[in-house]
C-alpha cells in the first residue's frame, strides 16, 4: 500500500500527473525511449544501454531455476560461508539480503566485503572457514580495483592451504567480455555469471548481481521476482499517473526537489532497515548531478517536527508485523506540521522485490522531472583518478603529502579544503572548537555528511550516531553517515555533482599493520589511505566545504575524545 501526502503542492503535482497522462509517459518509459531524459545524441546512445532493468523480473523468472540449481549444488558441496567481494551496486543489495533475511537453515552464511581497511579484511577472515568458503567476485566493469584486490588476496590465501584448485572457491558476476571474464578463465573459476549489459550497477538488484547471492543463502528468488513482477505490471498497466505507484512517487519527489525539499528522509521499520543502504545509493547516484540532487537521509533518529527545516520529505516504509507505533505517531505529527509524507506498507519481507522495482521507476521519473540523466555518474571517476595519482606519487616518494590548511590541536591533525571563500575556522583551544567552527558554517537547507574511513564497530557507530543527532538538533540540518570507501561508488556522485549544500567530515585512523596485495607495489593500508585522500582532493577541487580528521592509532579512543571535546566546546560557547 502506498499513500502520498503532497503537502501544499497538491494542485501543482496533479497538473504534472495530467501532463504525464497526455504525453503517455508510462508508455514511453516501458518502450525504453531514451529521449524522455535527454536529446543529446551521445547521451541518448548511453541511456539506451541503461534501460534493461525495466524487464528484469520477467527475464529472470525464466533464469531463476538455473541460479537456484547452482545454489543447491554449492550447499551440497559443503560450503559454509559465502563472501561477496564488490563495491556499490555490486554489493549493497547483498548487504540488504544478509541483514533482512539471513541464511535459510542449512545454507551458507553470507558476508559482504567492501572495505579496503586491513582490519576489515582480517576481521572477515577470522569469521570464515577459508577452505569452506565460496567467494563471489562481483564487478560490472570487471576491473573495479578494490574488488580485484580482494580477489588476489583471498586467492593467495587459498593457495597457502595447498588447495589443488583454488579457483573452485570463486564465482564471477560481470558483463560480457570484461577483464574479469578472462581472469575467471585463467584461474579456473567454478562459474561465471554473465549479466545483461544494458543496465547500470545501481539498477542491477533484480539481475545476477542481486539474485545469485540471495539464492546462495536460501532465499526464494522466484517469490522475490514474482513480487517485483507485480510491481512492474502495476507501473505499466495503463492506469493514470496519479495512481501509478512508481510514477506518482517519482513525480512527487521531483516536484518537491524543485521547491527545495530535497532531503528524502527514510523512516524504516526495524526488520527492513537495511533497505536504506540500497535506496540511498540509487537515489543519490542517480539524481546528484548538474548541481541538483535528492539527498537520501538514512539512519537518522526520528525527531519532532520543530527539529526539521523546510527541506525535508519523509518516507515511512514499514512491515506490517513490525512494531512501528512510535514511528507512526511521529510521522503523523510531521504530516500535521505540513511536511510531505510518503507511507508504504509491506505485508512480507519478500515484498522488497516490489520495493526495488518501485524505487527504480520512481528515481527514473524524478530524474525526468528534474531534467537530468539518472543513468550516468560523471563525477564518480574523479576520486578514482585522484587515488590513482596519489598512489603513483606514493610509489615514487614513499609517503603521502596533503596540500591543505592544517590544524594540530589536542594531538589531532585536521586538514581543511581550499574553498574559494576565506577559511571560517579560526584558532581554537581544543579540537572540538575547530570542528564546531567548521560545522557552524551550515545554513538552512544544508546537510552534513560524516564519512568515516575505517572498519565500523558498535562503539564507533554509537558515537557517530550521537554526533549526528547532536548536529541535527542544534544546527537544524540533515545529517548522513556513510562508510568509506563504500560511498565512493554510491553517494560520492551526489557529493561532487549535486547541490553545493554539503559539509563533509572525513574521518581516518592509522592502521596497525598492512596486508599485501599480491602483484601490487602497495598494500591495503596504502590503498585505503589513498582513497580517503583522493576523495578529500576531489571534494576540495569542487570547492566543497570539507575537513579531514586523523583520529590517530587508537580510533575508538580518538573518536570518543573528539566527540567529548565537541560537546564541551559547544556547551562553553
Amino acid at each position: 500500500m502506498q499513500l502520498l501526502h503532497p503537502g501544499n503542492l497538491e494542485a501543482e503535482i496533479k497538473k504534472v500527473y495530467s501532463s504525464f497522462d497526455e504525453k503517455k509517459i508510462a508508455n514511453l518509459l516501458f518502450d525504453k525511449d531514451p529521449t524522455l531524459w535527454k536529446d543529446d545524441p551521445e547521451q541518448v546512445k548511453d541511456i539506451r544501454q541503461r534501460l534493461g532493468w525495466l524487464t528484469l523480473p520477467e527475464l529472470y523468472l525464466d533464469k531463476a531455476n538455473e541460479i537456484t540449481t547452482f545454489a543447491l549444488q554449492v550447499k551440497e558441496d559443503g560450503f559454509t560461508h559465502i563472501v561477496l567481494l564488490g563495491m556499490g551496486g555490486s554489493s549493497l543489495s547483498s548487504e540488504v539480503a544478509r541483514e533482512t533475511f539471513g541464511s535459510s537453515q542449512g545454507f551458507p552464511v553470507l558476508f559482504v566485503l567492501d572495505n579496503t581497511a586491513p582490519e576489515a579484511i582480517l576481521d572477515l577472515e577470522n569469521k570464515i572457514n577459508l577452505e569452506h568458503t565460496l567467494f563471489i567476485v562481483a564487478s560490472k566493469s570487471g576491473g573495479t580495483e578494490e574488488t580485484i584486490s580482494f580477489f588476489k588476496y583471498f586467492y593467495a590465501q587459498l593457495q597457502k592451504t595447498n588447495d589443488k584448485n583454488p579457483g573452485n572457491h570463486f564465482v564471477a558476476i560481470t558483463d560480457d567480455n570484461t577483464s574479469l571474464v578472462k581472469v575467471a578463465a585463467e584461474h579456473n573459476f567454478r562459474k561465471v555469471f554473465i549479466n545483461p549489459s544494458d543496465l547500470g550497477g545501481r539498477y542491477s538488484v533484480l539481475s545476477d548481481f542481486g539474485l545469485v547471492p540471495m539464492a546462495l543463502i536460501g532465499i526464494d528468488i522466484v517469490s522475490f521476482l514474482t513480487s517485483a513482477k507485480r510491481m512492474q505490471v502495476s507501473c505499466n498497466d495503463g492506469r493514470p499517473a496519479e495512481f501509478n505507484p512508481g510514477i506518482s512517487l517519482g513525480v512527487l519527489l521531483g516536484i518537491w526537489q524543485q521547491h527545495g525539499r530535497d532531503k528524502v528522509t527514510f523512516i524504516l521499520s526495524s526488520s527492513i532497515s537495511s533497505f536504506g543502504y540500497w535506496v540511498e545509493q540509487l537515489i543519490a547516484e542517480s539524481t546528484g548531478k548538474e548541481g541538483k540532487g535528492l539527498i537520501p537521509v538514512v539512519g537518522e533518529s526520528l525527531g519532532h517536527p520543530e527539529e526539521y527545516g523546510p527541506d525535508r520529505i519523509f518516507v515511512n516504509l514499514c512491515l506490517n508485523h513490525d512494531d512501528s507505533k512510535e514511528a507512526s505517531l511521529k510521522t503523523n505529527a510531521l504530516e500535521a506540521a505540513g511536511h510531505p509524507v510518503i507511507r508504504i506498507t509491506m505485508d512480507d519481507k519478500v515484498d522488497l522485490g516490489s520495493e526495488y522495482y518501485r524505487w527504480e521507476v520512481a528515481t527514473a521519473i524524478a530524474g525526468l522531472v528534474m531534467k537530468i540523466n539518472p543513468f550516468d555518474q560523471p563525477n564518480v571517476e574523479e576520486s578514482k583518478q585522484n587515488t590513482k595519482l596519489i598512489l603513483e606519487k606514493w610509489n615514487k616518494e614513499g609517503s603521502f603529502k596533503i596540500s591543505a590548511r592544517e590544524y594540530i590541536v589536542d594531538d589531532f591533525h585536521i586538514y581543511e579544503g581550499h574553498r574559494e571563500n576565506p577559511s571560517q575556522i579560526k584558532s581554537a583551544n581544543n579540537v572540538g572548537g575547530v570542528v564546531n567552527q567548521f560545522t557552524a558554517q551550515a545554513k538552512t537547507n544544508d546537510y552534513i555528511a560524516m564519512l568515516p574511513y575505517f572498519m565500523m564497530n558498535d562503539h564507533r557507530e554509537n558515537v557517530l550516531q550521537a554526533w549526528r543527532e547532536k548536529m541535527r538538533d542544534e544546527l537544524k540540518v540533515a545529517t548522513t553517515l556513510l562508510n568509506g570507501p563504500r560511498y565512493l561508488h554510491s553517494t560520492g556522485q551526489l557529493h561532487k555533482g549535486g547541490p553545493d549544500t554539503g559539509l563533509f567530515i572525513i574521518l581516518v585512523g592509522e592502521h596497525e599493520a598492512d596486508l599485501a596485495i599480491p602483484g601490487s607495489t602497495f598494500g591495503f593500508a596504502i590503498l585505503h589511505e589513498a582513497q580517503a585522500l583522493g576523495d578529500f582532493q576531489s571534494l576540495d577541487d569542487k570547492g566543497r566545504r570539507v575537513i579531514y580528521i586523523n583520529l590517530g592509532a587508537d580510533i575508538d579512543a580518538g573518536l570518543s575524545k573528539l566527540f567529548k571535546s565537541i560537546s564541551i566546546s559547544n556547551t562553553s560557547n
Side-chain angles (χ1 to χ4, degrees):
M1 184 175 66
Q2 173 176 290
L3 295 175
L4 307 180
H5 171 68
N8 59 12
L9 292 182
E10 184 173 5
E12 180 178 345
I13 289 170
K14 286 198 171 186
K15 285 182 181 179
V16 177
Y17 289 154
S18 296
S19 173
F20 269 43
D21 291 336
E22 290 173 9
K23 296 175 182 177
K24 300 187 182 301
I25 296 297
N27 291 346
L28 294 172
L29 173 67
F30 284 92
D31 286 342
K32 301 182 181 179
D33 186 344
T35 62
L36 274 173
W37 295 277
K38 296 290 182 179
D39 55 14
D40 171 71
E42 283 301 312
Q43 291 203 61
V44 166
K45 180 181 177 181
D46 182 67
I47 295 170
R48 184 173 282 116
Q49 294 301 313
R50 293 291 180 268
L51 298 174
W53 56 272
L54 284 160
T55 50
L56 285 178
E58 55 202 69
L59 175 65
Y60 273 88
L61 278 169
D62 291 336
K63 292 185 175 184
N65 185 60
E66 174 192 349
I67 296 173
T68 302
T69 300
F70 173 76
L72 290 172
Q73 186 61 57
V74 168
K75 175 177 175 282
E76 291 174 9
D77 287 350
F79 286 96
T80 57
H81 298 91
I82 305 292
V83 176
L84 188 288
L85 310 175
M87 303 297 297
S90 300
S91 67
L92 291 171
S93 61
S94 292
E95 189 71 42
V96 177
R98 186 181 76 85
E99 293 194 20
T100 303
F101 296 94
S103 298
S104 298
Q105 186 173 2
F107 282 84
V109 176
L110 173 65
F111 292 97
V112 176
L113 181 62
D114 60 0
N115 192 328
T116 50
E119 298 80 11
I121 298 167
L122 289 173
D123 180 70
L124 168 68
E125 196 168 358
N126 288 332
K127 291 176 179 176
I128 62 175
N129 181 333
L130 188 64
E131 296 179 26
H132 294 277
T133 297
L134 182 72
F135 295 90
I136 305 172
V137 187
S139 170
K140 176 179 171 58
S141 68
T144 307
E145 181 166 12
E146 300 96 328
T147 304
I148 300 304
S149 296
F150 293 147
F151 156 67
K152 290 178 179 178
Y153 175 79
F154 283 107
Y155 189 87
Q157 294 301 97
L158 280 162
Q159 285 181 312
K160 293 176 184 178
T161 67
N162 296 317
D163 191 302
K164 293 181 180 179
N165 183 15
N168 196 47
H169 290 259
F170 291 89
V171 171
I173 305 175
T174 187
D175 283 4
D176 199 11
N177 295 319
T178 68
S179 57
L180 181 53
V181 174
K182 297 176 183 177
V183 168
E186 291 168 359
H187 293 82
N188 197 27
F189 276 25
R190 171 178 282 256
K191 188 172 179 62
V192 177
F193 289 91
I194 301 298
N195 207 63
S197 60
D198 58 345
L199 60 146
R202 59 188 177 275
Y203 288 85
S204 65
V205 60
L206 298 172
S207 71
D208 291 310
F209 282 108
L211 298 173
V212 171
M214 290 174 66
L216 284 166
I217 60 173
I219 296 173
D220 180 358
I221 62 171
V222 171
S223 294
F224 197 82
L225 287 163
T226 300
S227 171
K229 176 66 176 177
R230 284 196 298 270
M231 182 58 68
Q232 178 186 355
V233 171
S234 295
C235 293
N236 186 31
D237 62 0
R239 70 181 70 188
E242 182 176 1
F243 304 104
N244 184 306
I247 289 178
S248 61
L249 175 57
V251 168
L252 188 145
L253 293 172
I255 294 296
W256 271 117
Q257 183 276 333
Q258 294 177 336
H259 286 266
R261 286 192 182 264
D262 58 359
K263 312 303 187 303
V264 187
T265 305
F266 283 86
I267 307 163
L268 303 168
S269 62
S270 57
S271 64
I272 54 171
S273 61
S274 61
F275 178 74
Y277 303 147
W278 176 85
V279 78
E280 187 173 46
Q281 180 201 14
L282 175 72
I283 293 174
E285 193 172 19
S286 298
T287 68
K289 57 202 69 171
E290 299 183 29
K292 307 174 185 178
L294 290 165
I295 295 98
V297 181
V298 176
E300 189 183 69
S301 61
L302 188 59
H304 299 287
E306 61 271 16
E307 291 164 345
Y308 298 105
D311 59 345
R312 299 274 190 156
I313 308 170
F314 292 92
V315 179
N316 185 4
L317 177 60
C318 67
L319 190 67
N320 267 334
H321 304 300
D322 284 350
D323 181 6
S324 304
K325 184 177 180 180
E326 182 181 356
S328 180
L329 290 173
K330 288 187 175 181
T331 302
N332 290 340
L334 291 166
E335 182 177 327
H339 292 287
V341 172
I342 297 160
R343 290 182 177 83
I344 299 173
T345 304
M346 297 165 44
D347 288 328
D348 192 277
K349 290 180 181 179
V350 78
D351 290 335
L352 280 178
S354 286
E355 290 313 305
Y356 283 133
Y357 198 89
R358 183 202 310 264
W359 283 93
E360 287 174 339
V361 171
T363 301
I365 293 299
L368 170 58
V369 175
M370 294 165 62
K371 297 181 171 58
I372 53 97
N373 174 2
F375 307 109
D376 66 354
Q377 49 281 333
N379 301 106
V380 168
E381 195 63 28
E382 294 173 11
S383 290
K384 294 180 184 179
Q385 289 302 317
N386 282 337
T387 297
K388 182 179 178 181
L389 292 173
I390 289 169
L391 288 170
E392 288 175 356
K393 195 169 184 180
W394 182 88
N395 279 328
K396 292 179 181 178
E397 301 178 6
S399 63
F400 293 114
K401 294 179 182 178
I402 303 177
S403 176
R405 300 184 187 95
E406 182 179 11
Y407 306 85
I408 304 176
V409 189
D410 293 342
D411 297 324
F412 288 86
H413 287 255
I414 303 177
Y415 300 90
E416 182 193 15
H418 295 95
R419 191 174 171 87
E420 292 179 4
N421 298 329
S423 174
Q424 299 297 311
I425 298 178
K426 311 300 180 184
S427 60
N429 295 325
N430 56 59
V431 66
V434 174
V435 175
N436 283 332
Q437 286 179 43
F438 174 76
T439 57
Q441 300 175 57
K443 306 181 295 293
T444 301
N445 297 342
D446 281 350
Y447 70 100
I448 298 175
M450 306 178 71
L451 308 173
Y453 268 81
F454 40 70
M455 185 183 76
M456 295 297 286
N457 58 32
D458 289 342
H459 169 76
R460 297 169 189 178
E461 180 82 27
N462 290 337
V463 172
L464 292 170
Q465 289 291 358
W467 188 1
R468 287 183 72 180
E469 187 171 343
K470 182 179 180 62
M471 289 190 292
R472 182 204 64 192
D473 294 348
E474 293 174 354
L475 301 171
K476 299 296 187 289
V477 296
T479 65
T480 63
L481 175 59
L482 303 142
N483 202 220
R486 166 186 284 185
Y487 75 81
L488 294 180
H489 298 260
S490 58
T491 54
Q493 168 62 43
L494 169 73
H495 296 165
K496 302 165 191 71
D500 186 12
T501 54
L503 286 82
F504 304 96
I505 303 173
I506 297 177
L507 300 164
V508 303
E510 296 172 9
H511 300 289
E512 296 179 7
D514 201 355
L515 285 178
I517 301 174
S520 177
T521 56
F522 52 84
F524 281 104
I526 298 301
L527 172 60
H528 193 253
E529 188 173 353
Q531 289 177 304
L533 289 171
D535 194 49
F536 173 76
Q537 184 176 317
S538 295
L539 290 165
D540 192 17
D541 290 345
K542 290 290 181 185
R544 302 314 202 201
R545 292 163 288 180
V546 56
I547 57 172
Y548 180 101
I549 305 174
N550 191 325
L551 299 171
D554 189 336
I555 295 173
D556 290 322
L559 190 58
S560 295
K561 181 179 178 181
L562 173 62
F563 183 55
K564 182 178 180 180
S565 181
I566 288 168
S567 301
I568 293 173
S569 173
N570 211 343
T571 301
S572 63
N573 290 337

